[in-house]
Amino acid sequence: MLFLNSMHPWYIWTNQLFLITIGIGALCSIAILCLRNPFRLSKEDVGLFFILLIYSLFECLKSNINGIIQNIVLFVVWWGLLSLNNEDRKEYINYITKWFSILLLISLFTYLLWLFDIWNIEPTEIEYKDVGYSALNYITFIIQNDGRLTNFFRFMSIFAEPGHMTMGIVPLIILNNFNLKNKYVLILFIAEIWSFSLAGMITLFIGYVLFNFNKHLIKGLAYLILACSGLVIMFESLGYGDVIEVFLWSRLEVNDDGNIAGNNRFTSQVDTEYNKLFNSIDFLCGKEVDQNIIDGSAGYKVFIIQNGLVGLILAIRYIHIIS
């Protein structure tokens, strides 16, 4: 439930539903603990456990009651991930991969029926006031409601942005070793292509090179290029070449300052806050910043501002454990 919630699906755009999903996750966790105990904290992770505990306590001290509850839940989740045995960890990854891909399959199927005007349904307008999102809700998928028709061609399932959906898809494809023979991984890959997420495609490319630097690399890259080329040709033949231009080619152009046009995830305000962070004690655990400052920005700088050096260490350790 936390995995899905982290991508801001439309069903948590109201606090009541968000709390319900957290409650369901808590009940499932209690059931697992009552049936058996799959957790074993290894000796090498004892030090990291205390770092996590101190970090969580520090976050609780500067939070209201909702923040305290959230930090307690996150502490339990992080501790569980640190102390799971390998077999259970693999089982949970397979579980998430399977059910996330099934959700995306249903969502993508209905989205394509709608996109090609085969299935019509009247949407409702919804807003995520906390972060300023507005969308047309078709239940099994949503469309950004900002007046740009090109957004209709970017699949994002039930999540707030194509980029949010990508944050869930890409790690799962990498964790499953890019095994497109696995039908669930193949579904994730198709959904990623339809998202037109440049960041996601670049991350997949880098991940594939890093994890598959062997004789199969060229064959895998050929399949990837073939799939992307097929999608480009299809859109061009249907008269939607401008969509490819807007979301891919134009974002790969190099600006006069030498930067890639698509590398626009940070505002000048975020850069200022990031630089100020390292001149204060906040660089350890991060700090709360005005939502107006980070709105429209994403990436490592926002993460470090909010979570600090300790949060970064925990995230790296988590990735190491899962891999």
Side-chain angles (χ1 to χ4, degrees):
M1 301 305 297
L2 287 172
F3 172 77
L4 293 178
N5 289 352
S6 69
M7 292 175 277
H8 302 283
W10 67 259
Y11 62 78
I12 71 163
W13 289 17
T14 60
N15 289 330
Q16 292 80 4
L17 283 175
F18 174 75
L19 292 175
I20 289 173
T21 58
I22 293 295
I24 292 173
L27 290 174
C28 292
S29 301
I30 292 171
I32 292 172
L33 288 173
C34 290
L35 292 171
R36 64 184 182 85
N37 180 17
F39 304 109
R40 296 289 186 275
L41 189 64
S42 60
K43 292 181 179 179
E44 57 266 29
D45 282 327
V46 170
L48 201 59
F49 172 82
F50 282 106
I51 292 175
L52 175 60
L53 179 61
I54 294 170
Y55 174 78
S56 300
L57 291 173
F58 184 82
E59 288 295 305
C60 286
L61 288 175
K62 61 181 183 179
S63 302
N64 56 25
I65 184 63
N66 290 332
I68 292 174
I69 293 173
Q70 183 180 16
N71 279 292
I72 291 174
V73 171
L74 289 175
F75 170 78
V76 173
V77 171
W78 279 87
W79 172 78
L81 289 170
L82 285 172
S83 56
L84 268 178
N85 61 63
N86 284 334
E87 290 306 313
D88 281 311
R89 191 176 293 132
K90 291 176 183 177
E91 188 64 28
Y92 289 140
I93 290 296
N94 291 334
Y95 180 89
I96 292 174
T97 300
K98 174 182 176 179
W99 289 105
F100 185 43
S101 66
I102 290 175
L103 184 154
L104 292 181
L105 178 63
I106 296 171
S107 183
L108 181 60
F109 178 70
T110 53
Y111 164 78
L112 292 177
L113 289 178
W114 169 84
L115 182 64
F116 293 108
D117 205 22
I118 298 173
W119 177 60
N120 292 311
I121 182 174
E122 192 67 27
T124 58
E125 292 189 22
I126 56 174
E127 289 186 358
Y128 195 5
K129 295 181 180 179
D130 290 345
V131 288
Y133 287 113
S134 177
L136 299 176
N137 185 8
Y138 293 86
I139 308 300
T140 56
F141 64 92
I142 62 176
I143 300 293
Q144 285 183 347
N145 186 24
D146 60 2
R148 293 187 299 172
L149 293 178
T150 46
N151 279 338
F152 287 2
F153 300 97
R154 298 194 70 185
F155 174 65
M156 58 187 193
S157 186
I158 62 174
F159 306 106
E161 285 185 11
H164 285 303
M165 183 181 71
T166 288
M167 289 189 295
I169 291 177
V170 170
L172 287 179
I173 293 177
I174 294 175
L175 288 172
N176 284 278
N177 200 29
F178 298 85
N179 181 18
L180 298 185
K181 293 181 180 179
N182 181 328
K183 57 181 179 292
Y184 301 120
V185 179
L186 179 61
I187 292 169
L188 295 178
F189 181 69
I190 294 172
E192 174 58 34
I193 292 178
W194 272 100
S195 74
F196 289 98
S197 173
L198 181 62
M201 293 179 184
I202 291 175
T203 306
L204 274 181
F205 177 81
I206 294 173
Y208 189 86
V209 171
L210 291 176
F211 287 93
N212 294 274
F213 197 75
N214 53 37
K215 61 181 180 181
H216 301 295
L217 177 61
I218 296 178
K219 181 180 178 180
L221 290 177
Y223 282 133
L224 179 63
I225 294 171
L226 184 63
C228 294
S229 300
L231 188 65
V232 170
I233 293 171
M234 183 186 74
F235 268 79
E236 292 283 357
S237 63
L238 292 173
Y240 298 127
D242 56 329
V243 176
I244 302 294
E245 171 65 25
V246 169
F247 292 126
L248 294 180
W249 306 144
S250 65
R251 299 182 67 197
L252 290 172
E253 294 175 355
V254 178
N255 296 326
D256 294 336
D257 57 5
N259 292 320
I260 297 175
N263 185 22
N264 57 352
R265 295 294 184 180
F266 308 124
T267 64
S268 58
Q269 289 178 302
V270 168
D271 280 327
T272 300
E273 289 293 329
Y274 180 77
N275 293 329
K276 285 166 54 179
L277 184 74
F278 292 94
N279 294 320
S280 67
I281 193 63
D282 290 328
F283 85 94
L284 286 174
C285 294
K287 65 178 182 179
E288 296 291 332
V289 291
D290 192 321
Q291 189 64 40
N292 293 325
I293 293 178
I294 61 175
D295 274 348
S297 298
Y300 75 93
K301 288 186 179 180
V302 175
F303 181 86
I304 292 176
I305 290 172
Q306 294 178 322
N307 300 281
L309 181 62
V310 174
L312 182 62
I313 292 173
L314 290 170
I316 293 173
R317 177 56 178 154
Y318 161 68
I319 294 170
H320 177 256
I321 288 173
I322 295 297
S323 64

